[in-house]
Amino acid sequence: MKHFPGLNWLRAAAVACVLAAPLAAWPASDSNTPQSYALQLPVQFNSGAPLQRLVLPAQVLVSLQTGGMSDLRIFNGQGQPLSMAMSDSASLRQTENQKIVVQSSPIIGTPDVKDLSASSLRIEDQQGKRVVQIDGGASGGAQSKTVLGALLDTRAITDAVVGMVLDVDLPDAQPITFTLQMSKDLKDWRPLAETVLYRAEATADHLGAGHIALQFAEMKDHYVRVTWTDSAGHTAPVLMRSATLTTARGVSNLPRVSAALARPVLINPYELRFSLPFATPVAALDIKPAGDNVLIPVRVLGRNDPGQPWAVLAASVIYHLQTAGKVQDSAAIELPPTAFRQIKIEADKKTPGFSALPAIALEFEPAQIVALVNGQPPFTLAAGLANAASPYLPMQSLMPGYQAAQENSLPLATIDSSPAAVQATASRDGMPTRTLILWGVLLVAALALGAMAWVLLKQNNKAAAEDQ
């Protein structure tokens, strides 16, 4: 058999390329080694407590590369991983929820009332309906009076209120500011919350913070007054029917975790894109537009790879307004609980769009783990490793006889972390980078095999000619 020296390097190149294709997606690091992780942070445990809980800071959440927070470990001083369990969302946020619909009563007064917040109210029954009059206001016929707001009787609500949704009809294409205040005696009022709602046209749903988040407001023995004004500070033509209150009992007050976003790409005044370098789901986007008196209806879209179509995640309105000397900013836009690596924000083209890059903060639901402390310090929390297997045990394994939210009574360990700033990268259309690399490797392998076949055929033809 003849030996063809030109084939050796072609054969070696083809074999190397074929072997490189599966290796490009193969995890190369050991998940049980702290040095394999992109982030390592010191952990300070309390002495004398075998079970302790840790609330994950933003710096950890924006470093995770695997779904389910699987690429997270705590190592002791001997490099051994600790046994861990993860709290579910119900244990961290609430154990019991209830929605209560409260019918509203109109507040009637003359249009010349300048400051309703300084007015006292009285409740009257007129023809079987409850109405609220401004106490001491100018008397006059029905033609001289109008609806200036609404009153909610929340005196019988005993649980803390964590949210409210207003059932209202809005005028078209006007941002309407809703102001909520509380009082026990209908005379002395204190601020409760404020939000802005906007509806583009009669057939559209309103945008903005339709759900008003409240910080565990105690409304027992109180009334709530709702007033509404347009951008000029005048009472707007709004019809309010009721409010749906969300109450919570046995609630943990762990707040959401926030991280600033740097380097989003403004494609044009109506399109902003960025890619996220982590796998943790984003619960909400807090977008603050640049400039004064800015209001922009937006859509938020997401996908995981450049080759996928964009999916609509949310529609809302972002704003930065100054009304009657007060600055009002839009609330964060809630997103579905699915992790998307690429985000696009589209501005309504009936507006000027973005004159400059807005300030964007990423909000995450709080995450808590429970660890069984053993071994010697120092203890290190490690995070950030693609394709890591889940390390978590069932909570019942660490806490026999476990009851819901029982881990919240454990001592809280501390993690030495820094404020998180996410460096976003540009989001492109087309094929994912990993797919391009794999296709490139396969193409090189195919070319090498073709060249090897061509050389072999040429050598065989030459040998046959020599034998004749």
Side-chain angles (χ1 to χ4, degrees), residues 20-379:
L23 290 175
W26 193 264
S29 300
D30 182 5
S31 61
N32 289 320
T33 303
Q35 293 74 22
S36 298
Y37 294 82
L39 177 71
Q40 294 109 40
L41 297 175
V43 178
Q44 305 295 327
F45 286 110
N46 299 277
S47 59
L51 285 176
Q52 300 188 37
R53 60 191 176 101
L54 298 88
V55 177
L56 302 181
Q59 190 178 5
V60 172
L61 297 180
V62 300
S63 299
L64 298 173
Q65 299 299 314
T66 306
M69 302 185 184
S70 296
D71 52 329
L72 188 147
R73 304 288 190 277
I74 300 175
F75 296 95
N76 59 23
Q78 292 73 48
Q80 300 167 328
L82 305 185
S83 298
M84 299 188 304
M86 177 177 289
S87 297
D88 60 23
S89 58
S91 297
L92 294 178
R93 299 197 65 80
Q94 57 229 7
T95 57
E96 184 178 348
N97 255 92
Q98 185 179 6
K99 293 187 181 297
I100 302 173
V101 178
V102 179
Q103 300 299 321
S104 64
S105 301
I107 299 174
I108 305 297
T110 56
D112 60 353
V113 175
K114 300 297 184 183
D115 187 6
L116 185 59
S117 64
S119 304
S120 299
L121 305 178
R122 69 176 187 274
I123 299 175
E124 298 179 355
D125 289 323
Q126 297 181 0
Q127 300 178 347
K129 294 183 178 180
R130 173 178 286 188
V131 297
V132 183
Q133 299 275 1
I134 297 177
D135 196 13
S139 61
Q143 297 298 322
S144 65
K145 294 190 177 183
T146 187
V147 176
L148 302 177
L151 189 72
L152 304 172
D153 187 352
T154 58
R155 292 175 297 171
I157 297 177
T158 57
D159 291 333
V161 179
V162 295
M164 181 185 297
V165 176
L166 304 178
D167 181 9
V168 294
D169 290 338
L170 302 175
D172 294 345
Q174 293 186 53
I176 305 299
T177 299
F178 288 83
T179 302
L180 282 64
Q181 296 173 301
M182 293 177 60
S183 173
K184 282 189 174 183
D185 56 9
L186 298 176
K187 295 180 180 179
D188 299 317
W189 299 90
R190 60 184 178 87
L192 176 61
E194 197 168 71
T195 190
V196 176
L197 298 181
Y198 175 88
R199 187 182 65 180
E201 53 189 21
T203 58
D205 295 332
H206 63 250
L207 302 176
H211 179 273
I212 305 170
L214 302 174
Q215 298 298 318
F216 311 108
E218 299 292 340
M219 294 186 178
K220 180 175 171 54
D221 300 327
H222 283 79
Y223 296 93
V224 174
R225 180 173 63 190
V226 184
T227 56
W228 43 80
T229 55
D230 58 21
S231 56
H234 302 140
T235 299
V238 170
L239 173 63
M240 178 171 170
R241 288 174 289 270
S242 64
T244 301
L245 279 60
T246 302
T247 63
R249 182 177 298 170
V251 176
S252 170
N253 59 354
L254 282 179
R256 278 181 172 170
V257 180
S258 180
L261 179 71
R263 296 184 183 175
V265 177
L266 190 60
I267 306 296
N268 55 59
Y270 300 99
E271 185 175 339
L272 186 151
R273 294 190 188 186
F274 52 88
S275 293
L276 299 174
F278 54 80
T280 308
V282 177
L285 289 177
D286 190 5
I287 308 172
K288 296 293 186 289
D292 294 327
N293 293 326
V294 179
L295 184 145
I296 310 173
V298 297
R299 291 197 314 163
V300 181
L301 303 95
R303 66 184 182 185
N304 281 317
D305 291 309
Q308 293 179 341
W310 291 99
V312 177
L313 307 181
S316 188
V317 58
I318 60 174
Y319 55 84
H320 178 77
L321 304 173
Q322 288 190 354
T323 305
K326 295 188 298 183
V327 175
Q328 300 173 352
D329 288 313
S330 51
I333 301 174
E334 300 291 321
L335 300 181
T338 303
F340 287 94
R341 288 295 188 114
Q342 297 186 10
I343 300 293
K344 178 168 66 171
I345 301 170
E346 291 181 343
D348 192 324
K349 292 190 176 180
K350 294 190 291 292
T351 69
F354 298 107
S355 60
L357 275 175
I360 301 178
L362 310 173
E363 294 187 357
F364 305 92
E365 296 293 352
Q368 177 177 266
I369 60 174
V370 173
L372 177 62
V373 184
N374 56 53
Q376 298 299 314
F379 295 94

Side-chain angles (χ1 to χ4, degrees), residues 41-42 57-60 415-419:
L41 297 175
Q59 190 178 5
V60 172
I415 303 172
D416 294 339
S417 63
S418 303

